Amino acid sequence: LETELRMLRAIKVLATTQPVELTATFMGAHEVPVEYRGRRTEYVRLIVDEMIPAVAEAGLALDDPTRTYRDRNHKPELLVALTPFEARCGFRPLAVTRDLVARLVAAGADHHGDELARRLDGDEDDGPAVLAAALAWLLTGLTEDGAHQLVTELTAASEALLGGTVTSDAAGFEADLRWIGRLDRCYPGDVGVAVALLLNHVVLEPGQGVYLGAGNLHAYLRGAAVEIMANSDNVIRGGLTTKHIDGAELLAVVDTAP
């Protein structure tokens, strides 16, 4: 904790003396320390009860737009659809994701897309670990240009599959493929377009709902709904947004189990 506080104080001082804009953010949960391995919940409790208050006292404002944790509360969510509603929620089985990515590679996403396919290659029993490694590559291993090229490949391949201009087919993945292009149009080149491929595509009818526990990576795509959640402003974003993104922190807390 003291090391994190020293870095925050140093950044605060530099921000007043340098011609560039510097913004500090607390990274205490980007990795579980060795002494807390196997005691993840205990470490999260330590962050909430001791680290966050200490950081607040150090001067990182609670309403700072780059602040990931703004209060001590958890934030489970229950969403109930008012209209037909689509979302990406939680990681799907590794074999299903591999099938989809393989079709995209065969349809032309054969450079960065092929690298994604390689990173998804692993034993189904090790699915959560394989998915976590692939997610880490997408969020922290790609350059901005690399992410843009990957999304460009995926968009072109999805259009080819939907248009029937390649030998691979889109059967069973039509919704996934359509949303690649839609998301790319809304957030051009955003790596979140690729991350969404790892997640379940969920369709709700009015009155149906979905519960999202801690660590559930999700994105709401289309429709109107009511959200019921704990009293918290804690949000960790990985893409598909204009707000602050904290990929390292997301990787520390995300649950990649299908």
Side-chain angles (χ1 to χ4, degrees):
L1 174 59
E2 186 54 39
T3 299
E4 291 285 341
L5 291 176
R6 283 200 299 269
M7 289 191 291
L8 292 173
R9 294 188 191 106
I11 293 171
K12 189 174 181 180
V13 172
L14 288 171
T16 64
T17 61
Q18 302 300 314
V20 295
E21 181 178 349
L22 298 175
T23 304
T25 185
F26 177 55
M27 297 287 289
H30 74 281
E31 184 177 5
V32 178
V34 173
E35 61 268 28
Y36 281 93
R37 296 289 161 80
R39 297 186 292 148
R40 183 171 173 174
T41 299
E42 185 179 342
Y43 183 60
V44 171
R45 201 71 255 160
L46 176 68
I47 293 171
V48 172
D49 292 340
E50 297 183 24
M51 291 187 178
I52 290 177
V55 170
E57 291 180 6
L60 187 59
L62 287 173
D63 61 352
D64 190 305
T66 65
R67 184 177 185 132
T68 297
Y69 299 107
R70 303 190 177 199
D71 52 63
R72 301 187 181 193
N73 300 330
H74 66 331
K75 195 181 180 183
E77 298 179 21
L78 175 65
L79 180 136
V80 179
L82 299 177
T83 67
F85 194 90
E86 292 181 71
R88 312 292 292 202
C89 301
F91 288 78
R92 55 185 167 191
L94 178 58
V96 178
T97 299
R98 273 202 304 245
D99 186 9
L100 172 57
V101 173
R103 298 190 195 198
L104 289 163
V105 170
D110 53 6
H111 180 44
H112 287 82
D114 190 55
E115 177 63 17
L116 175 59
R118 189 183 68 79
R119 291 176 182 273
L120 290 168
D121 187 21
D123 194 294
E124 192 70 22
D125 292 337
D126 296 326
V130 174
L131 289 165
L135 179 65
W137 176 69
L138 288 169
L139 293 181
T140 62
L142 278 172
T143 64
E144 185 175 343
D145 286 344
H148 194 280
Q149 291 169 21
L150 170 61
V151 173
T152 298
E153 287 182 22
L154 294 174
T155 300
S158 67
E159 292 172 351
L161 284 167
L162 290 169
T165 60
V166 291
T167 55
S168 297
D169 67 83
F173 292 113
E174 291 86 353
D176 299 281
L177 297 170
R178 290 192 183 96
W179 275 107
I180 293 174
R182 290 170 181 169
L183 291 174
D184 188 29
R185 286 192 292 275
C186 293
Y187 301 96
D190 193 309
V191 74
V193 177
V195 172
L197 297 178
L198 310 181
L199 307 179
N200 294 294
H201 186 77
V202 176
V203 178
L204 301 176
E205 294 301 323
Q208 293 182 321
V210 60
Y211 173 75
L212 304 167
N216 186 299
L217 186 60
H218 59 280
Y220 298 144
L221 302 175
R222 181 166 64 181
V226 173
E227 281 185 290
I228 304 166
M229 63 184 69
N231 183 21
S232 175
D233 286 329
N234 296 330
V235 180
I236 305 176
R237 303 177 183 90
L240 304 180
T241 181
T242 58
K243 298 180 180 179
H244 177 60
I245 292 174
D246 193 342
E249 190 66 16
L250 189 152
L251 291 170
V253 301
V254 69
D255 181 3
T256 56

